[in-house]
Amino acid sequence: MSTTTATGKKGTSLKGRKPPATRSANEELEISTEEMQSINEELQTVNAELNAKNQALNLLNNDIRNLLDSTHIAVLFLDRDLHIRNYTPAMTKLFHLRDGDSGRPINEILPGINYPELKNDVAHVLQDMVVTERTLRGDGDAPTFLLRMRPYLTVDNVVDGVVLTFVDVTLSQLNNEHARLAAIVNSSRDAIFGFSLGDRITSWNASAERIFGLPAAQIVGKPLNQLLPPEPSEETRLFFASHHRTRRLDEFEMTWVRPNGESVPLALSYSPVCDDNGILFAGKLIARDVTERVRAARHTEMILGELNHRVKNTLATVQAIAQQTLANATHLPDFAESFLARLLAMSRTHNLLARDTWAGAPLTGIINNELAPYRHDDACTNDERVRLQGDELILPPKQALALSMALHELVTNAAKYGSLSVPEGRVSVTWTTRAQDQRPWLLLQWMETGGPPVVPPTRRGFGTRLINEGVPYELDGEVTLAFPPSGVTCTIDVPLDEVVP
């Protein structure tokens, strides 16, 4: 069908057909719509991933928050300017923090713990990138904290503040102190044990096992009166019978009999154990083995008795020497010389005995003391004038004093009239020991040679009587003193105190 245009010309009709430009725009619009739909789908996917990550982040934050809260550790996060970033609930007890304090400077908040070095420590950690530790001790009953301060690092490993961790170590220190005290108690040489108000033994250290001979497993939990000895003193009996021991006892003694039958003397001291309010709730006993002290006291008593006896004997000997010397002296200077020489001989032997607390004196020492002035030198070995031969022998005090006086008289006589009066004279002293009648005996022989011809004395002086009569009387032995022309000889045969087993 033909149509007529507005100009009156005939042409083809456009109804029902779209121009090319319109079709292109529609196509582009459709493509854009499809792209928008694709973008929307991508956005939905991104939003879903973001929501999932947000949920995971929230879950992680919740886990971290619950972790920090469950540790009950005070943790404080500060930035470089000491502003509060975050903190755990336990931190509120130390710095009185509350909600809304985030972002505030920490130095504006009243601390609950004395920490004046906070600012300097933060500067040190930020500057040197180190971890700082400090023990903050509370006053009185306040807890003690171990502070660790370390740098606060971002995910980019940038230092952006500090993290402070406060750990309450009061209980740990208390446990350490208890462990230290327990170690001291267990290492003590004294028996230390505690008991309850019901008189039940509650503790028993290693020394208590050793001293009492009872293991801890056998005695802990048992009544205290099981430690009452078979024959207690009145003070010991009253202590174990009493149940109101409110005052301290410095020391009381008892003798304990171990399960093996061995007796051990003990010195015990008691201390009540009270709580902070002074209320008695337990007791403590310290037992010390005083065996050595008792032995020393007995030894001292014996020494004093022996010393008293020896002093009396010495005074009697001095008196006898004085009387006999005076009876044989022709004038006062002669008496003084003889008397002082004999006292000096006694003194030298006393010195030898005192050196070993009067346990005895060496025979060689006694002989050398008397012969030393007549040797060619100060040596104690054999020389041209003196010859000694015999085993080392320690004489008991009684034998030592008696033999020293006899040797002094022999040496004095030899120096005045015998072999020691001339340079070519010689003295030989030999001795041996033997067992006879279950006792040790000493056989000592004195022999002089090379001196002037000996003439037997016409009278018996004090020296001769002391040797012939004093030694046998004192030592219950035999003495033979002879005066052959070649030189004086003397044989002394005496028993020693000790009994041969």
Side-chain angles (χ1 to χ4, degrees), residues 193-316:
F193 53 97
F195 57 92
S196 64
L197 289 182
D199 276 3
R200 293 280 176 176
I201 298 173
T202 56
S203 62
W204 192 259
N205 73 340
S207 291
E209 293 186 347
R210 174 179 55 82
I211 292 175
F212 285 88
L214 297 171
Q218 180 179 339
I219 195 66
V220 171
K222 298 299 178 62
L224 182 64
N225 59 16
Q226 286 200 2
L227 301 180
L228 185 66
E231 298 180 0
S233 64
E234 182 64 18
E235 186 180 22
T236 302
R237 189 189 63 78
L238 289 176
F239 174 82
F240 280 90
S242 175
H243 293 281
H244 302 284
R245 310 177 187 93
T246 56
R247 66 182 184 89
R248 177 173 181 169
L249 295 179
D250 289 335
E251 189 172 285
F252 63 95
E253 295 185 357
M254 74 178 196
T255 300
W256 171 254
V257 180
R258 292 171 176 154
N260 61 3
E262 183 181 2
S263 297
V264 52
L266 301 177
L268 291 90
S269 59
Y270 162 75
S271 296
V273 181
C274 303
D275 60 16
D276 295 337
N277 298 319
I279 299 176
L280 177 69
F281 70 91
K284 178 189 68 176
L285 275 170
I286 299 178
R288 177 170 299 171
D289 185 347
V290 293
T291 301
E292 293 300 324
R293 188 173 78 183
V294 171
R295 184 181 292 119
R298 290 174 180 171
H299 181 69
T300 300
E301 183 179 357
M302 181 189 69
I303 288 295
L304 289 176
E306 182 69 16
L307 181 61
N308 183 48
H309 174 70
R310 289 171 182 169
V311 168
K312 289 181 179 179
N313 287 345
T314 301
L315 290 176

Side-chain angles (χ1 to χ4, degrees), residues 323-334:
Q323 291 174 346
Q324 294 297 328
T325 305
L326 183 61
N328 291 274
T330 56
H331 50 79
L332 188 58
D334 181 45

Side-chain angles (χ1 to χ4, degrees), residues 57-122:
L57 181 61
N58 288 334
L59 181 60
L60 181 61
N61 287 334
N62 290 335
D63 290 344
I64 293 175
R65 172 58 63 182
N66 281 278
L67 175 63
L68 293 176
D69 292 348
S70 64
T71 58
H72 300 289
I73 297 177
V75 183
L76 177 64
F77 301 88
L78 301 178
D79 62 16
R80 286 180 168 273
D81 299 323
L82 300 184
H83 290 186
I84 301 173
R85 271 201 173 97
N86 206 344
Y87 57 88
T88 60
M91 198 68 208
T92 58
K93 298 179 181 179
L94 298 181
F95 277 86
H96 305 295
L97 297 173
R98 59 184 180 179
D99 295 340
D101 282 339
S102 295
R104 290 184 60 187
I106 190 65
N107 52 13
E108 292 183 358
I109 299 175
L110 181 65
I113 189 170
N114 187 24
Y115 185 20
E117 304 87 0
L118 173 61
K119 186 175 181 180
N120 292 335
D121 286 350
V122 171

Side-chain angles (χ1 to χ4, degrees), residues 38-57:
S38 177
I39 291 172
N40 285 335
E41 291 175 355
E42 291 179 358
L43 287 176
Q44 290 176 359
T45 302
V46 170
N47 285 335
E49 292 177 353
L50 181 60
N51 289 333
K53 291 181 179 180
N54 285 336
Q55 291 178 0
L57 181 61

Side-chain angles (χ1 to χ4, degrees), residues 127-426:
Q127 179 180 350
D128 298 335
M129 293 288 293
V130 295
V131 177
T132 296
E133 288 191 359
R134 186 184 292 273
T135 300
L136 305 177
R137 302 186 184 278
D139 297 330
D141 295 333
T144 299
F145 291 92
L146 174 63
L147 165 66
R148 286 190 180 94
M149 185 185 298
R150 63 182 68 244
Y152 179 94
L153 300 177
T154 66
V155 292
D156 299 324
N157 206 29
V158 176
V159 178
D160 194 27
V162 293
V163 181
L164 290 80
T165 304
F166 297 83
V167 180
D168 189 345
V169 294
T170 305
L171 182 59
S172 175
Q173 287 191 338
L174 186 60
N175 291 336
N176 290 340
E177 182 67 15
H178 287 169
R180 186 180 69 85
L181 293 176
I184 293 174
V185 170
N186 284 327
S187 63
S188 173
R189 297 185 61 185
D190 297 334
I192 303 177
F193 53 97
F195 57 92
S196 64
L197 289 182
D199 276 3
R200 293 280 176 176
I201 298 173
T202 56
S203 62
W204 192 259
N205 73 340
S207 291
E209 293 186 347
R210 174 179 55 82
I211 292 175
F212 285 88
L214 297 171
Q218 180 179 339
I219 195 66
V220 171
K222 298 299 178 62
L224 182 64
N225 59 16
Q226 286 200 2
L227 301 180
L228 185 66
E231 298 180 0
S233 64
E234 182 64 18
E235 186 180 22
T236 302
R237 189 189 63 78
L238 289 176
F239 174 82
F240 280 90
S242 175
H243 293 281
H244 302 284
R245 310 177 187 93
T246 56
R247 66 182 184 89
R248 177 173 181 169
L249 295 179
D250 289 335
E251 189 172 285
F252 63 95
E253 295 185 357
M254 74 178 196
T255 300
W256 171 254
V257 180
R258 292 171 176 154
N260 61 3
E262 183 181 2
S263 297
V264 52
L266 301 177
L268 291 90
S269 59
Y270 162 75
S271 296
V273 181
C274 303
D275 60 16
D276 295 337
N277 298 319
I279 299 176
L280 177 69
F281 70 91
K284 178 189 68 176
L285 275 170
I286 299 178
R288 177 170 299 171
D289 185 347
V290 293
T291 301
E292 293 300 324
R293 188 173 78 183
V294 171
R295 184 181 292 119
R298 290 174 180 171
H299 181 69
T300 300
E301 183 179 357
M302 181 189 69
I303 288 295
L304 289 176
E306 182 69 16
L307 181 61
N308 183 48
H309 174 70
R310 289 171 182 169
V311 168
K312 289 181 179 179
N313 287 345
T314 301
L315 290 176
T317 302
V318 171
Q319 183 179 9
I321 292 173
Q323 291 174 346
Q324 294 297 328
T325 305
L326 183 61
N328 291 274
T330 56
H331 50 79
L332 188 58
D334 181 45
F335 165 78
E337 180 182 358
S338 300
F339 181 67
L340 292 177
R342 286 161 180 159
L343 288 184
L344 183 60
M346 287 186 61
S347 174
R348 286 193 292 260
T349 304
H350 271 255
N351 289 338
L352 288 174
L353 291 168
R355 187 177 63 187
D356 293 324
T357 63
W358 279 77
L363 178 58
T364 54
I366 296 173
I367 299 173
N368 280 320
N369 277 345
E370 298 299 331
L371 291 173
Y374 307 100
R375 289 179 177 273
H376 286 169
D377 51 40
D378 294 333
C380 293
T381 57
N382 293 330
D383 58 18
E384 295 180 358
R385 304 203 72 189
V386 176
R387 179 169 108 36
L388 307 182
Q389 183 177 356
D391 295 333
E392 290 292 332
L393 179 64
I394 301 298
L395 295 179
K398 183 177 181 180
Q399 279 76 4
L401 287 172
L403 290 177
S404 69
M405 296 302 298
L407 287 168
H408 172 74
E409 297 302 327
L410 290 171
V411 171
T412 302
N413 182 75
K416 287 183 177 181
Y417 314 108
S419 60
L420 296 181
S421 65
V422 295
E424 59 274 14
R426 306 286 184 268

